[in-house]
Amino acid sequence: MELIDQHTKKIMEGCKQRALKAGLRFNDETLEYIVTNRDLLELSPKVMIPTLYDYWVHDVEVLKEKGKYELYPGNPYETVINTRPAISFYNDNNPDWLNVMIFYHVLAHIDFFQNNLFFRHTWDYDFTGQALADKRLIAKIRAEKGRWVDYVIEFSRSIDNLVSYHYELSRLNFPPPKLESKRIDFYFDMFLQQIKKVRIGAYLKEVERYNECFHQHGKKGEEIFFTDVESEHPEFETLYKKSHQKPPEHYLDLLQFLIAHSPFLKKEKNRWMIPILLVVRKTSMFFQPQIRTKIMNEGWASFWHETLFLQDDRIKGHEVDFARINAGVTSMPRVGLNPYALGMRLFYYIEEMANKGKYEFEFERLLDASQRRKYDKKTKTGRDFIFKIRENFSDFMFINTFVDQDFINRHKLFVAGKKLDKQRMVWQYYVKSRKLKAYRKMLLDTLYHPPHITIDNGKDLDEALYLVHHFEKKPLVKDFIGNTMMGIEYLWGAPVKLETSEAVPVASPQQAPAGAGTPVIPQDDLQVAHIKWQRVVYTMENRKLSKKVLE
């Protein structure tokens, strides 16, 4: 692995100038490395972070990928990671014209990393440097504790798969409002409605008075408004301060809870495990936004590599080569999902709709199909609109907001079903649905959605840790419950209980003949009509798993 030569770096700098002129925003400092395919195979298990901590599973993955490569050689074009400065890796046999295309793709990724708000908590430090420090820390602990370090890493990573970071990401990316705004919220939401219980007319007059103060006095309007409030309600300030004396509720995910409250980890001889849990959690937090923006990120990069490459005079003579490679990257499969293709087409579609003014309220009010089809205000705001989408959305919001029936019809998209042809013993694929609801559900089902598991502190269970799975019609994978709970039991130092929901088949007896009594039907003759969900509790105690059905 080595830095690209000056000739290739000059090409990259030219791409940067054109990308910045088109509106992309990113730090000017970047590092580009030339790597072989085998180098990429060794970096892939570490999510392309060369300095990530060592773990035996990484070595197993490298061996597995090398075996696959021997049978099915591949040629990945590039990989870029969100660090400071941004680091990207390129295949060692790319021609110059292909590097132009790839550089545009990489620069769009960097723009996305450095401007999408879900990545905000990654902007203030260099993760490769932090990862190197963590790697050295774990290596030092491993030198003292040996293989037990790998057990703790394995337990932590299995728990990490059960942790939802929505609260933490929300806290990091969308900090709470300033104290002044909290005073307004308390006055209108709590003081007037729950303490004073004023009538609706008086409440609306207070809202009107606040708006008038704000418009007349600007930033001082709030201060003047509360001066009048305190003269009329002298108890308000005391009640407001008392409301903030309560400690704010802070949700702890499972790893945080173990670090903070585990009796086992608090023992002096076990404290060395806590830094390992912190490293695993911190590493996972860094990659969370990439998991949640896969379609947008790849779509944004594909949108810009196509847009900028076609305007670049350096592609002359290679138009056909570009078309062939670009089609391989961004073609829409008839069955399955290509995030590059779907994301790119959605950005093109959103830009077109915004240019026509079809995201305005005036268009939403139209009911006539012909008028909606011909509607075009020529706003020329489409490019600015997609930049705002890039800044504020995740995959879930992106799909839920902009995948509509017109988009599905335009690209002839559908949900595919499959059935077994018993004569030829092959699977037959067919068009199951072209409806928006079905297609959007298919897309949302492909997104990362970890189970929502919380700790119930109200259970009196003789120091057992009681976990509650908030069921969302997606059961836990039974194959992983035992090993994961064994790891939790070890790190907690006491029994662990997990409450969740499981599917139970509901059997419907065959219809009895007329005039006959209720027949006794053998179990094998029962026909499953549907399923119901029942709550169960798994208990892991002394490395033995048991299950109990709740009433």
Side-chain angles (χ1 to χ4, degrees), residues 35-48:
V35 292
T36 65
N37 287 344
R38 292 188 178 275
D39 290 332
L40 291 175
L41 292 179
E42 293 181 0
L43 285 171
S44 294
K46 293 192 173 188
V47 207
M48 305 308 297

Side-chain angles (χ1 to χ4, degrees), residues 77-93:
Y77 299 120
E78 54 77 26
T79 302
V80 57
I81 56 177
N82 176 32
T83 56
R84 294 292 186 276
I87 298 176
S88 48
F89 304 96
Y90 303 89
N91 201 279
D92 57 353
N93 54 12

Side-chain angles (χ1 to χ4, degrees), residues 138 141-142 145-153 272 276:
I138 290 180
I141 298 173
R142 185 180 276 114
K145 305 297 180 181
R147 60 188 176 87
W148 289 101
V149 172
D150 289 291
Y151 288 140
V152 176
I153 293 175
W272 63 268
I276 298 175

Side-chain angles (χ1 to χ4, degrees), residues 97-111:
W97 70 267
L98 182 56
N99 276 332
V100 173
M101 170 187 168
I102 295 172
F103 287 155
Y104 284 135
H105 191 93
V106 166
L107 290 172
H109 274 310
I110 297 173
D111 168 85

